[in-house]
Amino acid sequence: MALPNHQVFLGIEGKSQKILEENCIEKSFKKNSIIYLQEEEQDAVYIIKTGWVKIFRQTLDGEEAITDILNDGKFFGEAAVLENSQHSESAEAIEDTALYQIKLSSFKKVLSDDRLFGLNILRYIARKQASKTLEVEHLTIQNASQRIGCFLMKLCKPENKLNTVLNLPYDKSLIASRLGMKPETFSRALNTLRVATKIEISGSRVTIPEINDIISYTCSACSETYPCKDL
Amino acid sequence: MALPNHQVFLGIEGKSQKILEENCIEKSFKKNSIIYLQEEEQDAVYIIKTGWVKIFRQTLDGEEAITDILNDGKFFGEAAVLENSQHSESAEAIEDTALYQIKLSSFKKVLSDDRLFGLNILRYIARKQASKTLEVEHLTIQNASQRIGCFLMKLCKPENKLNTVLNLPYDKSLIASRLGMKPETFSRALNTLRVATKIEISGSRVTIPEINDIISYTCSACSETYPCKDL
């Protein structure tokens, strides 16, 4: 089938495109179903067509560490470019989700044959690494309310400055885990943010009267300026 | 000059090696001197010969976020593979340091001409991304004492199980910042770790009677098992 529209495929050779297309299928996952588990043998890489996917790992104590929550157009499972062919994490659909699944062997073949594809993947992973580095920075510098503010801004369109209405894309408890907070910390921090920036919260609906209030509250504790590359 | 011994140069073409060698020089930096600053134009990538280098960024509020502290054999400044040629971070020698400095233009030329070099760099950056993801996991799951335990274990040799003596490689205040803690949190957490694992601390000297005590205290709150890939 036709390859999804993604920056890593831009300008690759016709031969490469053909190999990937022949090894690309679409797959659907119901909400709360597992896509793959940590330590399973990896045989594919994935791009999200629609939906939300949680990437997580389990500690020896059995606690779940959510390291990413991804939506449309995002790539995952690309750790396969390393020698190790076992999944280093688990992936679960947290809403009904449709994925493009590309066979790992074909992906690796094109990676080693097509110079431009290799450079595209390199740029993509370097960008992802930069984004993880920014996340480490946020976890060490920002307070809990600022981290929630940053999360909300990523859901906003930079061109809409006034009276933005958002729907939280998934459960508050998942947002809390993704941001490295206990649910009770999340509730308190959300309240602090609400008072500081005059946002209104009703269920999963958030109204932001003036986005600049969140920017000045949140982005002062970050090395990037809004709208940042990470959005 | 001869290229440093680093996995990214393994098996590259003779022509590539020659270009890189012609554009590689050695440079020394005294303790506390700046190697480059965030937003400066980038013209080189670096590999540490000896010493310690702090990678950091400044928030708008002027706070310093330390995102990495690196030693011998470590690569940095490789964000240059992205389109942007400005440094996205600052680098400072925190001890007397000798660096291999490779001109960015030659590095980029070999990257686009030598397929194997491209794959080596890709693997290296993917591994670094995995290590950042583990750091995000630690920051969201481990408590402060466990994070210090993990830091100490990275300084141990896995084959020495009993009566390990370490010297902390740099200031405690820097270790605290690197681990995302205020100095007072660091002191309390270090004390908790000391009581739980019977380590002795005197100045910058740390004695670990039984490394398994730190392993069971720390690694239970992690998805990797000791000795982990990240060491």
Side-chain angles (χ1 to χ4, degrees):
Chain A
M1 62 175 293
L3 285 178
N5 188 6
H6 194 285
Q7 65 201 42
V8 296
F9 304 123
L10 278 180
I12 62 172
E13 294 171 19
K15 198 175 64 179
S16 308
Q17 180 152 356
K18 193 154 172 287
I19 294 175
L20 293 170
E21 282 179 350
E22 282 169 1
N23 287 282
C24 178
I25 56 169
E26 200 180 314
K27 265 188 132 172
S28 295
F29 291 84
K30 285 272 164 216
K31 180 171 176 169
N32 298 329
S33 58
I34 292 289
I35 299 164
Y36 56 74
L37 286 172
Q38 197 173 340
E39 290 175 14
E40 275 181 3
E41 209 57 34
Q42 173 157 11
D43 55 5
V45 294
Y46 305 85
I47 294 175
I48 304 176
K49 186 179 181 191
T50 54
W52 286 91
V53 171
K54 174 176 84 171
I55 307 293
F56 64 105
R57 305 208 275 191
Q58 210 116 32
T59 68
L60 289 181
D61 279 348
E63 206 171 339
E64 197 174 270
I66 301 180
T67 52
D68 242 330
I69 293 187
L70 307 168
N71 66 343
D72 307 4
K74 294 291 190 321
F75 209 116
F76 66 98
E78 83 287 346
V81 296
L82 295 165
E83 308 84 316
N84 193 334
S85 64
Q86 282 183 334
H87 283 291
S88 57
E89 74 232 337
S90 302
E92 178 186 331
I94 54 172
E95 298 293 337
D96 288 353
T97 293
L99 300 177
Y100 298 100
Q101 180 179 311
I102 302 174
K103 210 186 268 177
L104 181 60
S105 54
S106 67
F107 188 87
K108 278 190 162 170
K109 178 166 174 35
V110 175
L111 188 62
S112 75
D113 289 352
D114 187 330
R115 203 174 54 77
L116 188 62
F117 187 58
L119 287 176
N120 284 352
I121 295 282
L122 176 55
R123 275 199 205 94
Y124 177 73
I125 293 190
R127 223 172 271 135
K128 213 164 154 179
Q129 187 215 313
S131 153
K132 285 282 165 204
T133 301
L134 190 60
E135 196 174 337
V136 169
E137 182 196 305
H138 287 176
L139 283 162
T140 55
I141 293 278
Q142 289 187 336
N143 66 35
S145 308
Q146 288 167 329
R147 296 218 297 283
I148 299 175
C150 183
F151 176 85
L152 291 179
M153 283 196 301
K154 285 185 185 155
L155 300 172
C156 295
K157 292 195 174 60
E159 57 277 19
N160 294 352
K161 294 273 186 200
L162 296 175
N163 299 317
T164 305
V165 180
L166 298 175
N167 278 301
L168 296 178
Y170 43 85
D171 283 358
K172 280 186 189 156
S173 62
L174 270 180
I175 300 176
S177 304
R178 173 69 188 103
L179 298 175
M181 299 172 203
K182 306 268 177 238
E184 52 281 14
T185 312
F186 181 79
S187 297
R188 266 185 293 131
L190 186 58
N191 199 41
T192 306
L193 182 70
R194 191 181 58 72
V195 173
T197 65
K198 304 182 216 78
I199 60 175
E200 286 158 40
I201 305 144
S202 152
S204 70
R205 186 185 152 104
V206 179
T207 309
I208 304 174
E210 169 72 89
I211 205 168
N212 282 332
D213 286 342
I214 303 200
I215 295 174
S216 58
Y217 183 77
T218 298
C219 301
S220 58
C222 178
S223 64
E224 300 272 343
T225 43
Y226 184 84
C228 62
K229 282 175 295 196
D230 209 38
L231 286 179
Chain B
M1 60 175 296
L3 284 179
N5 190 6
H6 194 284
Q7 66 202 41
V8 296
F9 304 123
L10 278 178
I12 61 171
E13 293 170 20
K15 197 175 61 175
S16 309
Q17 180 151 355
K18 194 156 171 284
I19 294 174
L20 292 171
E21 282 178 352
E22 283 169 0
N23 288 284
C24 179
I25 57 169
E26 200 180 313
K27 264 189 131 171
S28 295
F29 291 84
K30 285 274 166 215
K31 181 172 176 168
N32 297 331
S33 57
I34 293 289
I35 301 164
Y36 56 75
L37 286 172
Q38 195 172 340
E39 292 176 11
E40 276 181 2
E41 209 55 34
Q42 173 157 11
D43 55 3
V45 295
Y46 305 86
I47 294 175
I48 304 175
K49 186 179 182 190
T50 54
W52 286 92
V53 172
K54 175 177 83 169
I55 308 292
F56 64 105
R57 304 206 276 189
Q58 210 117 31
T59 66
L60 288 182
D61 278 348
E63 206 171 339
E64 198 174 88
I66 300 179
T67 52
D68 240 329
I69 293 187
L70 307 167
N71 66 344
D72 306 4
K74 292 293 189 321
F75 209 117
F76 66 98
E78 83 287 347
V81 296
L82 294 166
E83 307 84 313
N84 194 334
S85 64
Q86 281 183 334
H87 283 292
S88 57
E89 73 234 338
S90 302
E92 177 186 332
I94 54 173
E95 298 292 337
D96 288 353
T97 293
L99 299 179
Y100 298 101
Q101 180 179 310
I102 302 173
K103 210 185 271 177
L104 182 59
S105 54
S106 66
F107 188 87
K108 278 190 161 172
K109 177 165 175 36
V110 174
L111 188 63
S112 74
D113 289 352
D114 188 328
R115 202 173 54 78
L116 190 62
F117 187 58
L119 287 176
N120 284 353
I121 295 282
L122 176 57
R123 274 199 205 92
Y124 176 72
I125 293 190
R127 224 173 270 131
K128 215 164 154 181
Q129 187 215 314
S131 154
K132 285 284 164 201
T133 301
L134 191 60
E135 197 175 336
V136 169
E137 182 195 307
H138 286 175
L139 283 163
T140 55
I141 293 278
Q142 289 187 334
N143 64 36
S145 308
Q146 286 167 330
R147 294 217 299 281
I148 299 174
C150 183
F151 177 85
L152 292 177
M153 283 195 301
K154 285 185 185 157
L155 300 171
C156 294
K157 291 193 174 60
E159 56 276 20
N160 295 351
K161 294 274 187 199
L162 296 176
N163 298 317
T164 305
V165 179
L166 298 176
N167 277 301
L168 296 179
Y170 44 85
D171 285 359
K172 280 185 190 158
S173 62
L174 270 181
I175 300 176
S177 302
R178 172 71 186 102
L179 298 175
M181 298 172 203
K182 306 268 176 238
E184 53 281 14
T185 312
F186 181 80
S187 297
R188 268 185 292 132
L190 186 59
N191 198 41
T192 306
L193 181 70
R194 191 182 59 71
V195 173
T197 65
K198 303 182 216 76
I199 61 175
E200 286 159 40
I201 304 144
S202 152
S204 71
R205 189 184 149 103
V206 178
T207 309
I208 304 173
E210 169 73 89
I211 204 167
N212 282 332
D213 287 341
I214 303 202
I215 295 175
S216 57
Y217 183 77
T218 298
C219 303
S220 58
C222 178
S223 64
E224 300 273 342
T225 43
Y226 184 84
C228 62
K229 280 175 295 192
D230 208 39
L231 286 178

